[in-house]
């Protein structure tokens, strides 16, 4: 396949997406879903999109028909050595959206995972500095001159910084603006300041308090907050939460100075053309009860949690009240992988109770069946920038039980309310979570009509990508000072 220059299209906008993850090729968290889905809906709104992402060794090139582009060899000198890149391309299945894979065996294709564990901090930073520089150079080779570069999380936070430093006077990028999306503020890309030399940046341009310098180290996310033309988060509530010390992750002071360009846009999710038939739930419920070794009982509530097993997701609350959960008139199923202490805790609870079961793995097909089978879906997160699991659960009539934070608070209407779509608790403590679980179970048994109404509201609630895409398009036009919307 030849490296061909983009032909100028009569499209209203041209946007370059850069991300460490893109579904379906490389997925670890919600970041992949956003970058893999949002461009499809922007395309329908007259926005031409191109996506750039690293080519990890874990990506099945044959399955996704990823082809190398001829004459794509690119050489960049960084850190006193020469780095050679190649470019490969595919189209997102059933679309014409092009995804460009930056190939480098030293940094990406040598790993069979997206984020290798026990990776040296400086090496991890070099990986994404190299990717960002290569992305900017490949866009020039392809003649894909973007109106907007949309960077996502710290892995691509270098891009807004480059546009305001190394590429400030580059004719190709002179009219390009940048949007930076925070998917999770907890990860900021902090490292030793010597990375500046590797990145080919001038210290006097970038190593200062209102750019990369943060307590004597380089912080790429901070640099993006100062250099990007707009900052977005993946829910309106999270955009407000990160301005305070509880959720600000040490960056709240910086963010409070950038509120004039900060906004929250809720992620969407995909919906089947045919709405889920709630009458099919007993069939899936029986299948899951059998798979997890639970008694077959269509009238006993099944509460599910599908998650990365990490501190952020509220697993310490589960641990604290596991004995109380064992005494509830309900069954609990957990699916996911993560930190060893939480995996071991769930395995112990599964082996020592009659109503708690855990499957320590990530199986998309099993996950889909659990959503369809469960009566309630538990998300007791410490913080949740957006969350997509509650949206998926709702479209399958699985009623969310969530902590009222971030996107969970934006998407779930608490019972009692005629428009209720779930149950919410505020305090981050085991007793608050347990009380709301009991409330949900009690409603299931004793207020059957109310619970049926909640299920109906869940299934009828839509968080569409069309709405999100329209808001992003308006944001892009605003950044470019185009007032025709």
């Amino acid at each position: 396949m030849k490296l061909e220059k983009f032909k100028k299209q009569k499209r209203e906008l041209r946007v370059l997406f850069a991300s460490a993850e893109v579904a379906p090729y490389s997925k670890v968290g919600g970041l992949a879903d956003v970058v893999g889905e949002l461009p499809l809906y922007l395309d329908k709104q007259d926005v031409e999109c191109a996506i750039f992402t690293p080519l990890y060794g874990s990506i099945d090139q044959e399955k996704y028909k990823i082809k190398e582009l001829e004459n794509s060899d690119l050489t960049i000198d960084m850190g006193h050595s020469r780095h050679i890149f190649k470019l490969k391309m595919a189209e997102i299945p059933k679309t014409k959206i092009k995804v460009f894979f930056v190939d480098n065996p030293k940094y990406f294709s040598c790993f069979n995972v997206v984020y290798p564990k026990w990776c040296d901090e400086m090496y991890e930073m070099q990986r994404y500095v190299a990717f960002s520089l290569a992305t900017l150079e490949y866009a020039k080779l392809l003649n894909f001159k973007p109106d907007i570069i949309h960077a996502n999380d710290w892995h691509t936070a270098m891009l807004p910084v480059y546009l305001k430093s190394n590429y400030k006077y580059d004719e190709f990028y002179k009219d390009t603006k940048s949007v930076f999306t925070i998917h999770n503020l907890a990860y900021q890309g902090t490292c030793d300041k010597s990375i500046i030399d590797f990145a080919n940046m001038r210290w006097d341009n970038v190593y200062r308090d209102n750019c990369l310098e943060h307590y004597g180290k380089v912080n790429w996310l901070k640099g993006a907050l100062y250099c990007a033309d707009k900052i977005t988060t993946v829910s309106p509530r999270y955009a407000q939460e990160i301005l305070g010390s509880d959720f600000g992750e040490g960056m709240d002071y910086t963010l409070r100075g950038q509120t004039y360009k900060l906004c929250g846009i809720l992620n969407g999710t995909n919906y089947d053309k045919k709405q889920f038939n709630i009458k099919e739930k007993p069939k899936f419920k029986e299948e899951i009860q059998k798979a997890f070794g639970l008694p077959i009982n269509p009238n006993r509530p099944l509460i599910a949690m599908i998650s990365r097993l990490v501190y952020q997701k509220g697993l310490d609350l589960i641990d604290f009240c596991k004995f109380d959960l064992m005494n509830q008139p309900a069954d609990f199923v957990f699916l996911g992988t993560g930190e060893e202490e939480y995996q071991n805790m769930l395995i112990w609870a599964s082996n020592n109770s009659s109503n708690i079961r855990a499957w320590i793995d990530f199986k998309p097909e099993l996950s889909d069946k659990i959503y369809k089978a469960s009566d309630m879906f538990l998300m007791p997160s410490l913080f949740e920038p957006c969350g997509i699991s509650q949206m998926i659960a709702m479209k399958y009539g699985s009623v969310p039980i969530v902590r009222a934070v971030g996107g969970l608070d934006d998407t779930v209407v608490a019972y009692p309310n005629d428009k209720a779509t779930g149950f919410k608790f505020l305090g981050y403590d085991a007793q608050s979570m347990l009380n709301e679980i009991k409330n949900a179970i009690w409603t299931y048994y004793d207020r059957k009509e109310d619970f049926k109404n909640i299920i109906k509201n869940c299934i009828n609630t839509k968080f569409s990508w069309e709405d999100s895409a329209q808001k992003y398009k308006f944001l892009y036009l605003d950044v470019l000072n185009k007032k025709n919307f």
Side-chain angles (χ1 to χ4, degrees):
M1 190 182 294
K2 292 184 179 180
L3 190 154
E4 296 181 357
K5 294 185 181 293
F6 272 77
K7 295 175 182 177
K8 189 150 185 176
Q9 296 186 21
K10 292 182 180 179
R11 306 290 289 272
E12 194 169 0
L13 285 169
R14 180 177 266 189
V15 178
L16 186 159
F17 279 84
S19 173
E21 303 173 32
V22 180
Y25 312 102
S26 52
K27 176 175 165 60
V28 176
L31 167 62
D33 295 312
V34 175
V35 182
E37 295 174 1
L38 175 59
L40 278 61
Y41 293 87
L42 286 168
D43 185 70
K44 297 175 183 177
Q45 300 200 20
D46 206 26
V47 178
E48 183 184 9
C49 299
I51 304 169
F52 283 77
T53 193
L55 183 69
Y56 304 104
S58 57
I59 294 175
D60 190 333
Q61 298 184 49
E62 185 176 343
K63 176 182 178 182
Y64 295 113
K65 300 177 182 177
I66 298 172
K67 305 294 184 184
E68 183 176 331
L69 301 178
E70 293 178 12
N71 305 316
S72 69
D73 286 16
L74 174 68
T75 302
I76 304 176
D77 291 331
M78 293 177 290
H80 310 294
S81 59
R82 185 154 290 178
H83 301 263
I84 298 174
F85 302 86
K86 292 181 182 293
L87 193 65
K88 298 186 179 183
M89 190 192 80
E91 292 180 344
I92 292 180
K94 300 180 182 179
T95 77
K96 294 294 182 182
I97 306 294
K98 290 180 171 60
V99 181
F100 294 95
F101 299 87
V102 175
D103 185 15
N104 181 285
K106 179 179 179 180
Y107 291 126
F108 301 113
S109 54
C110 57
F111 294 108
N112 205 33
V113 292
V114 175
Y115 306 122
K117 291 183 177 180
W118 318 119
C119 194
D120 178 76
E121 178 185 83
M122 184 58 66
Y123 175 76
E124 182 75 353
M125 297 300 129
Q126 289 176 1
R127 297 175 78 206
Y128 292 105
V129 167
F131 165 67
S132 296
L133 257 179
T135 294
L136 289 167
E137 290 301 313
Y138 272 127
K140 292 170 75 171
L141 288 175
L142 292 163
N143 195 36
F144 187 83
K145 191 172 183 177
D147 297 301
I148 300 287
I149 290 180
H150 192 150
N152 296 272
D153 267 352
W154 78 263
H155 319 92
T156 54
M158 305 84 181
L159 290 167
V161 181
Y162 273 126
L163 286 179
K164 291 293 174 71
S165 55
N166 295 37
Y167 290 82
K168 185 174 182 179
Y169 300 106
D170 189 303
E171 185 66 22
F172 187 81
Y173 289 110
K174 70 173 184 177
D175 297 320
T176 300
K177 303 293 184 182
S178 63
V179 171
F180 180 67
T181 296
I182 302 168
H183 295 262
N184 192 333
L185 190 62
Y187 304 103
Q188 300 181 3
T190 302
C191 67
D192 185 79
K193 55 192 175 184
S194 61
I195 191 70
I196 293 174
D197 290 327
F198 179 86
N200 296 334
M201 293 179 174
R202 281 179 49 175
W203 286 65
D204 57 334
N205 279 349
V206 299
Y207 194 67
R208 55 179 191 269
D209 182 56
N210 62 342
C211 194
L212 292 178
E213 193 279 326
H214 192 65
Y215 295 101
K217 300 188 82 173
V218 160
N219 185 304
W220 288 112
L221 183 135
K222 181 181 178 183
L225 297 182
Y226 276 108
C227 294
D229 296 290
K230 285 285 184 181
I231 306 163
T232 71
T233 65
V234 288
S235 73
R237 174 68 186 269
Y238 192 58
Q240 296 301 313
E241 289 176 340
I242 60 177
L243 298 177
S245 58
D246 286 349
F247 297 92
E249 302 291 346
M251 204 55 65
D252 49 295
Y253 177 81
T254 298
L255 282 160
R256 287 196 293 273
Q258 308 299 312
T259 52
Y260 67 97
K261 58 182 180 183
L262 172 67
C263 71
I265 299 176
L266 188 69
N267 286 344
T269 189
N270 287 321
Y271 289 88
D272 299 328
K273 290 182 179 179
K274 188 178 179 181
Q275 194 178 70
F276 178 69
N277 185 353
I278 199 66
K279 292 181 180 179
E280 293 183 17
K281 189 172 282 289
K283 176 186 70 175
F284 289 105
K285 192 171 184 178
E286 181 176 341
E287 188 175 346
I288 292 301
Q289 286 171 335
K290 285 181 180 178
F292 280 82
L294 293 166
I296 307 303
N297 186 345
N299 299 316
R300 183 174 167 91
L302 181 65
I303 302 175
M305 183 173 179
I306 302 169
S307 174
R308 287 182 295 117
L309 305 179
V310 296
Y311 180 71
Q312 175 204 336
K313 299 299 183 178
L315 270 298
D316 56 317
L317 302 188
I318 303 291
D319 189 15
F320 194 86
C321 69
K322 57 182 178 288
F323 294 107
D324 293 289
L325 297 181
M326 292 176 187
N327 292 317
Q328 298 306 310
D331 294 323
F332 297 82
V333 294
F334 296 86
L335 176 67
T337 62
E339 296 172 14
E340 190 173 355
E341 63 174 301
Y342 297 127
Q343 292 185 169
N344 291 340
M345 178 270 292
L346 289 175
I347 291 169
W348 183 92
S350 185
N351 291 337
N352 290 276
S353 69
S354 61
N355 69 329
I356 296 177
R357 295 290 183 269
W359 197 309
I360 306 302
D361 198 354
F362 178 71
K363 290 182 173 289
E365 290 184 6
L366 180 60
S367 170
D368 185 61
K369 289 179 180 178
I370 291 173
Y371 278 118
K372 293 174 180 177
S374 57
D375 299 293
M376 299 162 223
F377 196 88
L378 182 60
M379 293 183 72
S381 303
L382 173 63
F383 64 93
E384 195 66 63
C386 178
I388 191 171
S389 296
Q390 80 279 15
M391 299 180 189
I392 298 171
M394 287 163 69
K395 71 180 179 181
Y396 292 125
S398 181
V399 176
I401 304 170
V402 304
R403 182 166 177 249
V405 289
L408 300 178
D409 198 31
D410 283 330
T411 54
V412 178
V413 179
Y415 177 81
N417 186 313
D418 289 342
K419 297 181 179 179
T421 55
F423 298 83
K424 293 198 286 193
F425 61 98
L426 186 59
Y428 188 71
D429 61 272
Q431 191 60 53
S432 295
M433 180 191 74
L434 184 62
N435 288 344
E436 210 54 46
I437 291 172
K438 289 179 177 179
N439 187 23
I441 294 172
W442 172 75
T443 306
Y444 177 92
Y445 279 119
D446 292 346
R447 295 197 170 182
K448 290 182 169 57
E449 290 305 313
D450 283 7
F451 200 84
K452 286 180 182 178
N453 186 57
I454 297 171
I455 293 173
K456 181 181 176 182
N457 291 340
C458 283
I459 292 176
N460 290 332
T461 299
K462 297 288 185 288
F463 301 101
S464 70
W465 273 117
E466 284 91 346
D467 293 342
S468 304
Q470 186 175 58
K471 289 174 182 176
Y472 273 111
K473 182 182 177 182
F474 287 172
L475 182 80
Y476 299 152
L477 291 170
D478 185 37
V479 170
L480 297 166
N481 293 315
K482 291 185 178 182
K483 302 300 183 183
N484 59 332
F485 62 87

